[in-house]
Structure formats: C-alpha cells, structure tokens
Amino acid sequence: MRPLLTACSVEVYKLRRSYVLWGTLLFILFVTTLFLGQPNWRSFFERTAFLYASVFGLLGFGLVTSWTFGREYSDRTLKDLLVLPVSRGKIAIAKYVAIIFWCLVMMLISFAYALILGFAIRLPGFSFAIVQHYLFLILIIGALHLLLSAPLALLACISRGYLVPIGFAFTTLMLALVFGPTALGAYLPWSVPALHLQESGVSLFPLLGTSYLLVFLVGLLGVFGTVKWLQNREQ
C-alpha cells in the first residue's frame, strides 16, 4: 500500500507542475466568464453545467488524461519510470488517481469562480438549493467524463504520445453533438453526460440503465486495458 501511496503523491505533484493542467483550468474559467450575460442564477449554472457536459468534460478532462500518460513517451521518461521499485500496474493507477484528484479540484475551483462572478454582477434568483443542485449535477457529470477519459490513457500508451488520444477526444465530442439529440444518443457513451443534464428538464430521448452501464464499461476497459498494456507490452 505504501508504494502505491508514494506513487500517487508523486503523480499528483507532477501533474501540479504541468502547464497543461493550469492552461486547461484557465480556459474553463475564461469560457465561464463569457456566459455572464444570463438573466438569473439558474440559467447561469445551467450554461456552466452544459459546458461540463460537453467541451470541458470531453476535451478538458481528455487533454489532462492524454498528457499525463502521453508525456512519458514524448519526453522519453517512461523507461526510467518503469525501472522504479513500483509495479507497472500501480504506476498506471497512480496516474489515474492524480487525474481524478486534479479534475475534481478544477471543477470545484471553477464552480467557486462562477459563484464569485454571479455575486459580483448581482445575478437575481440566488438560493442555496440551486447551488447545491448544480454542484452535485456538475460533480456527477464530471464523474461520467472521468470514466469516458480512461480509454484515452490506453490510446496514449498504444500510440506512444498524446496526439492520437486528443484527436479521439475531439472526435467523440463531434459524435456526441451530432448523435446526442437523436435516439442513438442514449446508446452512445459520450452523449450520456449531456443527456443526463437534460434529464432534469425535458428530454426527448431519456436515458436508460444501459446508458450508464456503457459508460462504466468504457471506463473499466480503459483502466484495465492501460494496466495490462503497461504490464505486458513495455519491456
């Protein structure tokens, strides 16, 4: 257990030093600022949640995941990493833990930033019930996107870099935008976060239990696939 905790702390520190992490956070804060012209708090949070259900989740979390795994190949540090007295499976898990931790931090910072902006311009209709509802909604959407980002780590290992997984993340965003509003969206894992957001309103194609199961399976495939790839392919 101690080697795993040590590996997690190292990966958390490495990601904290990354310009990709803070660049992604600045992008999220900038885009959030652009939606200040909403009539009330509910509309403002609805827009923010939609951004997390689409661009912030698929591309933002995808970029962080792709870089965390892909940079080891591009910087040629993977060989040095794999000779450490820590199993390769634990290294992969530690990287996933770092990604989950910092993506959660980004969500909380951006949500707090949205609150500050809303109070600064005195948006009407504030209530703690609205804040609680959209905070939990964004956290749920973020959890779904973290599962969907897991296969990007496997793609980074297979392609030995981060360009292919980033391209895949962009492709899934386009597929979600095109097929999400159709009946096929409930069976396309990358459409599920946006459809989950619509569940609180009017949804033409409501989600099924199968929809969430597909997201979970995609995440499971990504995690186990990455662990097995590092264990068996990197010699």
Side-chain angles (χ1 to χ4, degrees):
M1 179 61 70
R2 186 167 183 177
L4 177 60
L5 293 177
T6 302
C8 288
S9 64
V10 170
E11 292 299 332
V12 167
Y13 175 77
K14 286 165 60 177
L15 194 51
R16 180 174 68 84
R17 296 288 299 269
S18 164
Y19 65 89
V20 171
L21 174 69
W22 301 113
T24 302
L25 177 59
L26 288 176
F27 171 75
I28 291 174
L29 298 182
F30 172 73
V31 176
T32 300
T33 307
L34 298 179
F35 285 90
L36 275 177
Q38 302 301 314
N40 52 54
W41 279 98
R42 183 176 294 276
S43 179
F44 182 41
F45 281 137
E46 188 76 20
R47 292 284 186 174
T48 304
F50 174 75
L51 288 171
Y52 265 106
S54 54
V55 179
F56 292 169
L58 288 172
L59 290 185
F61 292 1
L63 178 61
V64 172
T65 302
S66 302
W67 186 89
T68 300
F69 282 86
R71 67 170 294 275
E72 303 292 356
Y73 291 94
S74 60
D75 294 348
R76 301 181 184 278
T77 57
L78 184 65
K79 292 182 179 180
D80 297 330
L81 186 66
L82 294 180
V83 298
L84 295 176
V86 181
S87 69
R88 296 170 180 182
K90 289 179 180 178
I91 291 174
I93 293 173
K95 286 184 176 294
Y96 277 119
V97 169
I99 292 167
I100 293 171
F101 174 78
W102 282 115
C103 285
L104 176 62
V105 169
M106 285 197 299
M107 285 189 288
L108 295 177
I109 290 176
S110 62
F111 191 83
Y113 178 73
L115 279 173
I116 294 172
L117 288 180
F119 283 122
I121 65 172
R122 299 182 179 180
L123 278 176
F126 175 83
S127 73
F128 287 104
I130 292 177
V131 173
Q132 182 181 19
H133 170 73
Y134 282 100
L135 175 59
F136 283 117
L137 183 59
I138 288 174
L139 290 176
I140 292 172
I141 290 173
L144 294 174
H145 275 303
L146 285 171
L147 287 170
L148 294 173
S149 297
L152 299 181
L154 177 58
L155 287 177
C157 293
I158 294 175
S159 63
R160 298 176 180 272
Y162 43 76
L163 293 181
V164 171
I166 291 175
F168 181 81
F170 182 80
T171 301
T172 56
L173 174 61
M174 295 298 102
L175 290 175
L177 293 175
V178 173
F179 295 105
T182 69
L184 293 176
Y187 302 97
L188 183 66
W190 296 274
S191 299
V192 171
L195 292 177
H196 179 82
L197 174 63
Q198 296 177 14
E199 288 288 292
S200 60
V202 178
S203 181
L204 295 177
F205 306 103
L207 292 174
L208 306 171
T210 307
S211 304
Y212 296 100
L213 177 61
L214 288 174
V215 174
F216 177 76
L217 291 177
V218 167
L220 198 64
L221 175 64
V223 173
F224 278 95
T226 304
V227 170
K228 289 298 181 182
W229 181 271
L230 288 176
Q231 287 177 338
N232 301 328
R233 298 303 178 105
E234 295 296 338
Q235 303 294 339

